[in-house]
Amino acid sequence: MILNELIKSKRIILASASPRRKELMEGLDLNFTIDTRNNFQEVVPDGLDVNLVPEYLAKGKSYGFHRELEDDEIIITADTMVMCDGKILGKPSDKENAMQMLKMLQSNTHTVITGVCIRSREKEDSFSVTTKVFFNELSDEELDYYIENYRPYDKAGAYGVQEWIGHIGISRIEGSYFNVMGLPVQRLYTELQKFMESR
């Protein structure tokens, strides 16, 4: 049975304000609502393996949801991290910070990890997906054009793979392209299917 049939008795909540995640979820042809109200403080414990941070934060967002889940609800939360040369690149604070991040990424390879948590009242499943991204060298003028025209201040690593900079700057990707956008929908589909079948 396909997931759309398995899950039609459930109400899916995507607890994310990201327009990219909304778009990717829509691509799965599942009915869902968005509710971003949350009490979770994004603080990571000292000593936590950096590769586990996105999954830890996705779980935190799930359990920090502003209310108890109803019996027929499933909540999906996610967190995406960009890591380059051992450093976590968050969302840039200003133009200068965005330029610093993009200069670090160009002519280099970086890793994008997205952690995802699926939860109902009865159970929880979480996982993370890793993708390697290879960037070409870009001129300062090209980086400046991208920042001025696309204002990537809401994006980890200061870029959106689906935008102009991805079209001209990314030479190769190893792994899920959609993961770099912010939600590994192929894996999410599989995990949701398992989640529903294991009731």
Side-chain angles (χ1 to χ4, degrees):
M1 188 181 290
I2 69 168
L3 178 60
N4 311 56
E5 288 297 315
L6 274 174
I7 213 161
K8 66 182 180 183
S9 63
K10 296 288 186 181
R11 289 189 296 155
I12 301 172
I13 300 164
L14 176 64
S16 172
S18 164
R20 272 99 36 206
R21 290 197 184 116
K22 176 179 181 285
E23 178 189 338
L24 290 169
M25 275 290 289
E26 287 170 344
L28 294 179
D29 285 354
L30 301 175
N31 292 319
F32 66 95
T33 57
I34 292 175
D35 189 338
T36 60
R37 289 170 288 175
N38 206 294
N39 306 312
F40 178 60
Q41 301 293 317
E42 295 192 26
V43 178
V44 177
D46 291 339
L48 181 67
D49 182 329
V50 70
N51 296 291
L52 301 178
V53 168
E55 193 171 336
Y56 173 86
L57 292 175
K59 283 186 189 181
K61 290 175 182 178
S62 181
Y63 286 96
F65 191 59
H66 67 99
R67 62 170 174 81
E68 291 291 318
L69 295 178
E70 301 292 335
D71 287 340
D72 63 344
E73 290 179 326
I74 293 174
I75 186 170
I76 297 170
T77 49
D79 190 86
T80 299
M81 179 180 80
V82 174
M83 190 161 60
C84 185
D85 297 336
K87 293 179 184 161
I88 296 174
L89 303 185
K91 295 172 184 175
S93 54
D94 53 30
K95 183 176 180 179
E96 185 181 347
N97 190 214
M99 182 67 84
Q100 286 171 345
M101 288 185 188
L102 291 172
K103 279 178 173 288
M104 190 185 297
L105 296 179
Q106 65 169 330
S107 301
N108 205 349
T109 305
H110 66 274
T111 303
V112 178
I113 305 173
T114 300
V116 178
C117 182
I118 304 166
R119 185 171 65 87
S120 66
R121 280 185 73 141
E122 297 82 34
K123 59 183 178 173
E124 168 226 302
D125 177 33
S126 64
F127 61 91
S128 60
V129 173
T130 301
T131 304
K132 271 190 176 178
V133 183
F134 298 76
F135 247 97
N136 293 323
E137 183 171 0
L138 298 172
S139 68
D140 284 358
E141 290 79 12
E142 286 167 328
L143 296 180
D144 190 67
Y145 173 87
Y146 174 67
I147 295 167
E148 281 295 319
N149 287 277
Y150 289 86
R151 304 186 63 77
Y153 304 118
D154 64 336
K155 297 177 179 71
Y159 80 96
V161 65
Q162 73 280 9
E163 294 177 340
W164 179 81
I165 198 166
H167 291 236
I168 69 155
I170 292 175
S171 59
R172 185 157 58 97
I173 286 175
E174 289 180 2
S176 167
Y177 168 85
F178 297 120
N179 186 47
V180 185
M181 277 183 74
L183 194 64
V185 280
Q186 303 100 328
R187 177 75 181 276
L188 175 59
Y189 184 91
T190 303
E191 295 295 335
L192 272 170
Q193 202 148 25
K194 286 188 209 165
F195 193 86
M196 292 302 297
E197 288 171 344
S198 66
R199 284 180 299 171

Short mmCIF file of all heavy atoms in Angstrom, two decimals, residues 1 8 11 31 38-39 55 60 66-67 73 76-77 83 88 90 95 103 116 126 140 142-143 161 166 179 188-189 191:
data_model
loop_
_atom_site.label_atom_id
_atom_site.label_comp_id
_atom_site.label_asym_id
_atom_site.label_seq_id
_atom_site.Cartn_x
_atom_site.Cartn_y
_atom_site.Cartn_z
N MET A 1 0.84 -1.20 0.00
CA MET A 1 0.00 0.00 0.00
C MET A 1 0.88 1.25 0.00
O MET A 1 1.87 1.31 0.74
CB MET A 1 -0.89 0.00 1.24
CG MET A 1 -1.94 1.10 1.25
SD MET A 1 -2.97 1.12 2.75
CE MET A 1 -3.93 -0.37 2.48
N LYS A 8 -3.76 8.35 5.36
CA LYS A 8 -4.89 9.26 5.16
C LYS A 8 -5.76 9.44 6.40
O LYS A 8 -6.49 10.42 6.51
CB LYS A 8 -5.73 8.83 3.96
CG LYS A 8 -6.44 7.54 4.09
CD LYS A 8 -7.19 7.25 2.78
CE LYS A 8 -7.94 5.92 2.87
NZ LYS A 8 -8.59 5.60 1.60
N ARG A 11 -3.45 13.14 10.73
CA ARG A 11 -3.23 14.56 10.43
C ARG A 11 -1.76 14.85 10.61
O ARG A 11 -1.22 14.69 11.72
CB ARG A 11 -4.08 15.44 11.34
CG ARG A 11 -5.57 15.36 10.99
CD ARG A 11 -6.38 16.40 11.75
NE ARG A 11 -6.34 16.15 13.19
CZ ARG A 11 -6.51 17.07 14.12
NH1 ARG A 11 -6.70 18.33 13.79
NH2 ARG A 11 -6.49 16.76 15.41
N ASN A 31 -1.33 15.42 2.56
CA ASN A 31 -2.01 16.56 3.18
C ASN A 31 -1.34 16.86 4.52
O ASN A 31 -1.11 15.95 5.32
CB ASN A 31 -3.49 16.25 3.41
CG ASN A 31 -4.24 16.13 2.10
OD1 ASN A 31 -4.01 16.91 1.18
ND2 ASN A 31 -5.13 15.16 2.01
N ASN A 38 6.45 26.88 19.25
CA ASN A 38 7.39 25.96 19.88
C ASN A 38 8.06 26.61 21.10
O ASN A 38 8.32 27.80 21.09
CB ASN A 38 8.46 25.57 18.85
CG ASN A 38 9.08 24.22 19.15
OD1 ASN A 38 9.75 24.05 20.16
ND2 ASN A 38 8.85 23.26 18.27
N ASN A 39 8.34 25.79 22.10
CA ASN A 39 8.99 26.29 23.32
C ASN A 39 10.44 25.84 23.45
O ASN A 39 11.08 26.07 24.47
CB ASN A 39 8.21 25.78 24.56
CG ASN A 39 6.74 26.14 24.48
OD1 ASN A 39 6.40 27.27 24.19
ND2 ASN A 39 5.87 25.16 24.70
N GLU A 55 20.02 15.96 14.36
CA GLU A 55 19.00 15.04 14.86
C GLU A 55 18.58 15.42 16.28
O GLU A 55 17.39 15.37 16.62
CB GLU A 55 19.53 13.61 14.82
CG GLU A 55 18.46 12.56 15.00
CD GLU A 55 18.98 11.14 14.73
OE1 GLU A 55 19.96 10.97 14.00
OE2 GLU A 55 18.36 10.21 15.28
N GLY A 60 14.44 17.91 19.72
CA GLY A 60 14.10 18.98 20.65
C GLY A 60 12.93 19.81 20.16
O GLY A 60 12.03 20.16 20.92
N HIS A 66 4.19 23.23 21.06
CA HIS A 66 3.48 24.02 22.07
C HIS A 66 2.32 23.30 22.75
O HIS A 66 1.75 23.82 23.71
CB HIS A 66 2.97 25.32 21.44
CG HIS A 66 1.90 25.11 20.41
ND1 HIS A 66 0.56 25.27 20.69
CD2 HIS A 66 1.97 24.73 19.11
CE1 HIS A 66 -0.14 25.02 19.59
NE2 HIS A 66 0.69 24.69 18.62
N ARG A 67 1.97 22.09 22.27
CA ARG A 67 0.85 21.39 22.91
C ARG A 67 1.04 19.88 22.75
O ARG A 67 1.89 19.42 21.99
CB ARG A 67 -0.49 21.81 22.29
CG ARG A 67 -0.60 21.49 20.80
CD ARG A 67 -2.00 21.71 20.28
NE ARG A 67 -2.10 21.54 18.84
CZ ARG A 67 -2.19 20.37 18.21
NH1 ARG A 67 -2.14 19.23 18.90
NH2 ARG A 67 -2.30 20.32 16.89
N GLU A 73 -2.62 12.53 15.22
CA GLU A 73 -1.64 13.47 14.67
C GLU A 73 -0.23 12.88 14.61
O GLU A 73 0.18 12.11 15.47
CB GLU A 73 -1.61 14.75 15.51
CG GLU A 73 -2.86 15.60 15.36
CD GLU A 73 -2.82 16.85 16.21
OE1 GLU A 73 -2.26 16.82 17.32
OE2 GLU A 73 -3.38 17.87 15.78
N ILE A 76 6.21 16.35 12.25
CA ILE A 76 7.51 16.21 11.59
C ILE A 76 8.31 17.48 11.86
O ILE A 76 7.83 18.60 11.61
CB ILE A 76 7.34 16.00 10.08
CG1 ILE A 76 6.60 14.69 9.81
CG2 ILE A 76 8.70 15.99 9.38
CD1 ILE A 76 6.17 14.50 8.37
N THR A 77 9.51 17.30 12.40
CA THR A 77 10.42 18.43 12.64
C THR A 77 11.76 18.12 11.99
O THR A 77 12.12 16.95 11.81
CB THR A 77 10.62 18.68 14.14
OG1 THR A 77 10.95 17.43 14.78
CG2 THR A 77 9.39 19.26 14.79
N MET A 83 28.38 22.09 7.35
CA MET A 83 29.68 22.00 8.02
C MET A 83 30.80 22.04 6.99
O MET A 83 30.78 21.29 6.01
CB MET A 83 29.76 20.72 8.85
CG MET A 83 30.97 20.68 9.76
SD MET A 83 30.79 19.48 11.09
CE MET A 83 30.59 17.97 10.18
N ILE A 88 30.76 24.59 11.97
CA ILE A 88 29.34 24.65 11.65
C ILE A 88 29.02 26.05 11.15
O ILE A 88 29.35 27.05 11.80
CB ILE A 88 28.48 24.33 12.90
CG1 ILE A 88 28.72 22.90 13.36
CG2 ILE A 88 27.00 24.56 12.60
CD1 ILE A 88 28.03 22.54 14.66
N GLY A 90 26.11 28.50 10.43
CA GLY A 90 24.69 28.75 10.67
C GLY A 90 24.14 29.74 9.66
O GLY A 90 24.65 29.86 8.54
N LYS A 95 25.65 40.90 5.69
CA LYS A 95 26.27 40.70 4.37
C LYS A 95 27.73 40.25 4.50
O LYS A 95 28.18 39.35 3.78
CB LYS A 95 26.18 41.99 3.55
CG LYS A 95 26.76 41.82 2.15
CD LYS A 95 26.59 43.05 1.29
CE LYS A 95 27.20 42.80 -0.08
NZ LYS A 95 27.05 43.96 -0.98
N LYS A 103 32.91 32.47 0.86
CA LYS A 103 34.33 32.36 0.50
C LYS A 103 34.94 31.06 1.05
O LYS A 103 35.81 30.47 0.45
CB LYS A 103 35.11 33.58 1.04
CG LYS A 103 34.98 34.81 0.16
CD LYS A 103 35.74 35.98 0.78
CE LYS A 103 35.78 37.17 -0.15
NZ LYS A 103 36.66 36.99 -1.30
N VAL A 116 15.90 14.65 11.16
CA VAL A 116 14.43 14.66 11.07
C VAL A 116 13.86 13.83 12.20
O VAL A 116 14.40 12.78 12.55
CB VAL A 116 13.95 14.08 9.71
CG1 VAL A 116 12.42 14.07 9.64
CG2 VAL A 116 14.53 14.87 8.55
N SER A 126 13.60 8.93 14.60
CA SER A 126 14.44 10.04 14.12
C SER A 126 15.60 9.48 13.32
O SER A 126 16.01 8.33 13.50
CB SER A 126 14.94 10.89 15.29
OG SER A 126 15.79 10.16 16.13
N ASP A 140 34.50 37.49 -6.46
CA ASP A 140 33.87 38.33 -5.44
C ASP A 140 32.63 39.03 -6.01
O ASP A 140 31.64 39.21 -5.29
CB ASP A 140 34.86 39.39 -4.94
CG ASP A 140 35.89 38.79 -3.99
OD1 ASP A 140 35.82 37.57 -3.72
OD2 ASP A 140 36.78 39.53 -3.54
N GLU A 142 30.59 37.83 -8.28
CA GLU A 142 29.50 36.86 -8.33
C GLU A 142 28.90 36.62 -6.96
O GLU A 142 27.67 36.56 -6.79
CB GLU A 142 30.01 35.54 -8.93
CG GLU A 142 30.23 35.63 -10.43
CD GLU A 142 31.02 34.46 -10.99
OE1 GLU A 142 31.90 33.91 -10.28
OE2 GLU A 142 30.78 34.11 -12.16
N LEU A 143 29.76 36.53 -5.94
CA LEU A 143 29.27 36.34 -4.58
C LEU A 143 28.46 37.55 -4.13
O LEU A 143 27.40 37.41 -3.51
CB LEU A 143 30.43 36.09 -3.62
CG LEU A 143 31.26 34.82 -3.86
CD1 LEU A 143 32.37 34.71 -2.82
CD2 LEU A 143 30.39 33.57 -3.84
N VAL A 161 20.71 25.93 -2.53
CA VAL A 161 21.18 25.12 -3.66
C VAL A 161 20.29 25.31 -4.88
O VAL A 161 20.74 25.21 -6.02
CB VAL A 161 21.27 23.63 -3.25
CG1 VAL A 161 19.89 23.06 -2.93
CG2 VAL A 161 21.97 22.79 -4.30
N GLY A 166 23.54 28.07 -6.83
CA GLY A 166 23.60 26.62 -7.03
C GLY A 166 23.71 26.26 -8.49
O GLY A 166 24.42 25.32 -8.87
N ASN A 179 18.02 17.01 0.37
CA ASN A 179 18.60 17.17 1.70
C ASN A 179 19.30 18.52 1.83
O ASN A 179 19.21 19.19 2.86
CB ASN A 179 19.58 16.04 1.98
CG ASN A 179 20.11 16.06 3.39
OD1 ASN A 179 19.36 16.20 4.35
ND2 ASN A 179 21.42 15.93 3.53
N LEU A 188 12.47 10.49 4.09
CA LEU A 188 11.30 10.79 4.90
C LEU A 188 10.12 9.93 4.47
O LEU A 188 9.39 9.39 5.30
CB LEU A 188 10.95 12.27 4.81
CG LEU A 188 9.67 12.72 5.53
CD1 LEU A 188 9.73 12.40 7.02
CD2 LEU A 188 9.40 14.20 5.29
N TYR A 189 9.91 9.80 3.18
CA TYR A 189 8.82 8.98 2.65
C TYR A 189 8.95 7.54 3.15
O TYR A 189 7.99 6.94 3.64
CB TYR A 189 8.83 9.03 1.12
CG TYR A 189 7.67 8.30 0.46
CD1 TYR A 189 6.48 8.95 0.17
CD2 TYR A 189 7.78 6.95 0.13
CE1 TYR A 189 5.42 8.29 -0.44
CE2 TYR A 189 6.72 6.28 -0.47
CZ TYR A 189 5.55 6.96 -0.76
OH TYR A 189 4.50 6.29 -1.35
N GLU A 191 10.69 6.42 5.74
CA GLU A 191 10.56 6.33 7.20
C GLU A 191 9.10 6.49 7.65
O GLU A 191 8.66 5.84 8.60
CB GLU A 191 11.45 7.37 7.88
CG GLU A 191 12.94 7.17 7.68
CD GLU A 191 13.47 5.90 8.33
OE1 GLU A 191 12.86 5.41 9.30
OE2 GLU A 191 14.50 5.38 7.85
#
